[in-house]
Structure formats: C-alpha cells, structure tokens
Amino acid sequence: MFLNPHFAELQENYLFATIANKVSAYTAAHPENKIIRMGIGDVTQPLVPAVIEAMHKAVDEMAKKETFHGYAPDHGYPFLREAIRGYYAQHGVEVSASEIFVGDGAKSDVGNIVDLFSDENTVLIPDPVYPVYVDTNVMAGRKISYLDATEENGFLAMPDENVHADIVYLCSPNNPTGAVYSREQLQTWVDYALANNAVILYDTAYEAFISDADLPHSIFEIPGAKKCAIEFCSFSKTAGFTGVRCGYTVICDELVSGGVQVNRLWARRQSTKFNGVNYITQRGAEAVFTEEGMKQVRGVIALYRKNAEVMVDTFREIGVWFTGGEHSPYIWHKVPDGMTSWEFFDYLLQKAEVVGTPGSGFGKNGEGYFRLTAFGTLENTAAAMERIKRLLRAR
Ligand code: MLT
C-alpha cells in the first residue's frame, strides 16, 4: 500500500494540537499553578436555556417509540433548514431551504468541500489564515498561491487582477485577525470570481460578532455572489456549540460549473460520506433562531464582547499595536520587538501563565503577531490582562 505522500508536506501537528501539547507539558510540570487559556477559540458560557429546553424535549422524544428518531436526513431536518432560511431572510438574503445543508460544523464542511473540486484548480488563500484551508488543500496535493494580508492592507487582502485563481478562500470576520470585509470589498471579490470563473469559499463562522449594521453577515448579500460563492457557517461561536457540533453550508442553485449544479455534488458527497447531525442537536440549533433563543445567544455574545473590550482597553493602555476585538472575539496584537510569535508564546506561558496562539501558526504573515481569544470568563480575561500588563510594562 502507498500512503498519501502529501501528508509529509504538512507540519507535524495541527496548530491547536501543538499548543495543547505544550500547555499539557507545562501544566504537568507546574500542577499547582493557574494557567489562563486564551488560545483556541473555545467558548466557556453554557448553552442558553432555550437550546437546553429544546434539547431536553428532544431527548424525551427519543425515549418513546412514537416519537423516536433514527437516521437524520443527510442534509438536515426540514425544521432546521427552514429556521436557517428565516435567519438569512432577516439579513435580506433569499435562499431556499434546499440550498442549505446542515452539517456538524464549519471545520468539517470547509475541510470536506475540497472533494468537489478537481486537482487542476489553483487555490488562492490569504495569509494569515485559519489553518484548515491550507492543510486540507496540502493533503489533496493542490497548488496553493498565497495572498498577503498585512498591517498595510488592514489584514484584508484584495484580488490582484493579474493573478488567476479557481478557488478563493475568504473568512470574514477574519480568523485570526478580526478584520471584516466591507460590502464594497466583497463586491470586488465577487466581480473577480465571476470574471475568473472562480468559486469563493466564504467562512462566516464569526458573523454573529458583527456589530455594525453596514457590514455584511453573508456573502450572499452581495449581488452576483450566488453564482460564485459557497458559504459556511456554524453554531459554535454563535450559540456555544463547539462541543455540540452543528453548522451549515449554503450552495445556491445558481452556482454551476460545466453545466453541473455544484450543490448536487455536495448533496451527493454528504449522502455518501455523512449520516447527518443528530435530532437532539438539530432541535437545539432550531431553538437558536426563536425570538427567545436569539435574545439569549445575543446576551452571551455581549458577555464575550465585554471581554474583548477589556482586552482592547488593556492593549491601548500599554500602547501595543492590535486589531480585532470589535466585530470579532479575537485580538490580534504585535509581539514585543525581537521576539518571534512562538518565542512570545513560551514567554507568556512561562512568565504570565497565559496561553495564546502564535500568529505564525496562521501563516508567514502572522509572524510577529499573536492572537488572544475573548471567549473566556470576564474574571479570567481581566486577570490575564493584568498579568500581560505587568509583563509587558516591565520590559
Ligand atoms: C480557532 O481557535 O481558531 C477556532 O476555535 C478553531 C475552530 O473553530 O476550529
């Protein structure tokens, strides 16, 4: 048997696995110390009451022969697809429930979507970026071109008319930098994709953090996007489902290549390789879109926003350059002069016992930067900021 040789081109570990290993080693050596984790963007607030209530009810249904559910429909229960459709409508986007595919999270769908495309494609990925986009294309042996996202362009890379691409990855609000594309900028990307016959793979997992009514929550708010984009979203950050697992991918009927409707391929792929999200989870996800559920998840997001404010105030106070934190749960800041991102990771872990994510883990343009998440508790966030303040002021 022959293994896929492209795995040898990957870093030995996935970014967040490397961080987890380092933190485990540190904790084992200092079991009595209190580490504050601001690395992986994992939520800390419990599921909201509306979701819990819906899930309890669904569990009870599973306990009775008359209301028990076996295999879920491969592409999602109609009640959840309809609820998601309604959410899009609130942002002025008309999609039909059949164009919405429920999955177990944006990470899986973003990773699995590569099955649909030929290996001939040229893939364009901004740098820095969520590592899943890169790793899944490396695994598939695809040629990747990178697009520089830097402080100069506000970490919002724009297309170069002279560079052709077939597949473009965009993430807005951006992970890791927190930068958000405006409507005009997204229109430029859509125009580029249409001109190049390319597809935009648009990750909007953090859309619930957008706090400016003028900023788009969905690429489908942009004219022409239905013909050239696939959108991924998730309940992880919107409703605290990181451990529950549920997300959705939207592929409109208008997205066609060589006469083939792309959503048919995705439907076929999912039916073959995926058995659907469980009933209990989908009932919980449906509850997010009720009036009460929405109010409650917005309340939780407001708590994370408060953390982000504390972080923003800290970095302003100590005069360290940063971006993000406004429409995103991440702060992306510069590391002290003369340190690499990983050196700062070790320094922060050892001297302040705070865990973050080194910018270089997201790509070469992330070198010299560091990402901190606002998904902790207010108490831990404030304590971590005090530790960081003391450490950086003493330098
Ligand atoms: C992150 O920290 O970048 C995210 O939590 C990772 C993910 O959503 O898979």
Side-chain angles (χ1 to χ4, degrees):
M1 75 55 169
F2 303 95
L3 291 173
N4 177 346
H6 301 297
F7 274 70
E9 295 154 30
L10 295 166
Q11 309 265 354
E12 191 180 340
N13 282 317
Y14 180 58
L15 171 63
F16 294 106
T18 305
I19 292 174
N21 293 343
K22 277 182 171 262
V23 174
S24 297
Y26 186 84
T27 319
H30 307 85
E32 67 295 346
N33 297 11
K34 185 173 182 300
I35 288 182
I36 302 178
R37 291 162 199 267
M38 303 180 87
I40 191 162
D42 197 3
V43 295
T44 52
Q45 294 294 325
L47 298 175
V48 299
V51 168
I52 290 294
E53 205 178 298
M55 289 175 113
H56 278 167
K57 187 161 170 274
V59 168
D60 288 341
E61 286 178 54
M62 294 298 266
K64 290 192 211 92
K65 203 165 157 207
E66 303 72 41
T67 47
F68 168 77
H69 287 78
Y71 286 125
D74 297 336
H75 308 134
Y77 280 102
F79 62 77
L80 180 53
R81 298 173 95 183
E82 184 52 34
I84 298 167
R85 189 204 60 71
Y87 184 61
Y88 271 95
Q90 285 170 23
H91 295 300
V93 174
E94 265 186 50
V95 288
S96 67
S98 64
E99 295 169 317
I100 298 164
F101 299 84
V102 175
D104 67 357
K107 182 181 188 176
S108 317
D109 284 4
V110 163
N112 293 332
I113 201 80
V114 296
D115 281 6
L116 267 49
F117 304 108
S118 140
D119 288 345
E120 318 290 290
N121 287 297
T122 301
V123 182
L124 193 59
I125 304 185
D127 173 347
V129 84
Y130 181 39
V132 173
Y133 314 155
V134 175
D135 286 1
T136 52
N137 280 287
V138 170
M139 286 175 192
R142 298 237 167 83
K143 187 172 168 293
I144 304 175
S145 302
Y146 292 95
L147 200 56
D148 288 330
T150 59
E151 212 174 308
E152 286 66 47
N153 59 22
F155 289 102
L156 291 168
M158 293 304 294
D160 177 345
E161 302 299 323
N162 303 314
V163 175
H164 170 79
D166 304 301
I167 299 175
V168 180
Y169 284 81
L170 297 179
C171 177
S172 178
N174 188 264
N175 178 11
T177 66
V180 191
Y181 281 114
S182 69
R183 242 164 248 285
E184 296 67 35
Q185 288 171 317
L186 277 189
Q187 186 69 64
T188 307
W189 271 114
V190 166
D191 293 345
Y192 169 88
L194 292 172
N196 282 272
N197 222 351
V199 64
I200 297 173
L201 303 181
Y202 193 72
D203 182 349
T204 186
Y206 297 91
E207 61 82 23
F209 282 82
I210 292 176
S211 57
D212 176 340
D214 288 339
L215 292 170
H217 286 248
S218 162
I219 194 159
F220 298 126
E221 291 176 46
I222 310 302
K226 288 184 175 180
K227 284 200 179 102
C228 66
I230 296 178
E231 180 156 288
F232 304 90
C233 198
S234 156
F235 294 91
S236 287
K237 320 290 161 151
T238 305
F241 274 44
T242 54
V244 177
R245 309 309 307 151
C246 195
Y248 47 95
T249 291
V250 183
I251 312 178
C252 297
D253 294 343
E254 289 91 325
L255 183 65
V256 174
S257 177
V260 178
Q261 223 170 284
V262 177
N263 56 16
R264 297 213 168 174
L265 263 56
W266 182 244
R268 184 70 176 82
R269 189 255 172 232
Q270 292 297 81
S271 301
T272 307
K273 297 196 183 181
F274 181 59
N275 253 342
V277 175
N278 69 76
Y279 177 71
I280 301 160
T281 296
Q282 293 199 48
R283 279 296 185 197
E286 178 194 26
V288 170
F289 298 113
T290 59
E291 210 183 314
E292 202 48 29
M294 242 326 125
K295 213 162 82 196
Q296 293 170 358
V297 297
R298 290 202 172 124
V300 173
I301 288 171
L303 298 178
Y304 295 137
R305 265 192 221 292
K306 176 78 201 136
N307 295 342
E309 267 172 48
V310 171
M311 294 158 74
V312 161
D313 289 348
T314 303
F315 283 95
R316 282 211 179 111
E317 193 185 323
I318 56 179
V320 170
W321 188 94
F322 73 93
T323 181
E326 197 183 353
H327 306 294
S328 132
Y330 298 124
I331 300 283
W332 177 252
H333 71 85
K334 273 200 163 148
V335 304
D337 281 347
M339 274 192 193
T340 66
S341 300
W342 275 111
E343 282 165 358
F344 185 68
F345 174 91
D346 291 329
Y347 180 68
L348 199 61
L349 179 59
Q350 279 153 26
K351 303 280 184 219
E353 300 195 314
V354 173
V355 180
T357 308
S360 55
F362 299 99
K364 76 168 174 33
N365 289 328
E367 185 55 275
Y369 296 89
F370 203 73
R371 194 195 78 174
L372 291 170
T373 156
F375 281 124
T377 61
L378 182 57
E379 189 194 357
N380 279 346
T381 306
M385 290 305 108
E386 282 309 313
R387 293 182 192 185
I388 288 177
K389 238 191 256 181
R390 267 202 306 276
L391 185 68
L392 295 188
R393 274 198 174 137
R395 282 179 61 85

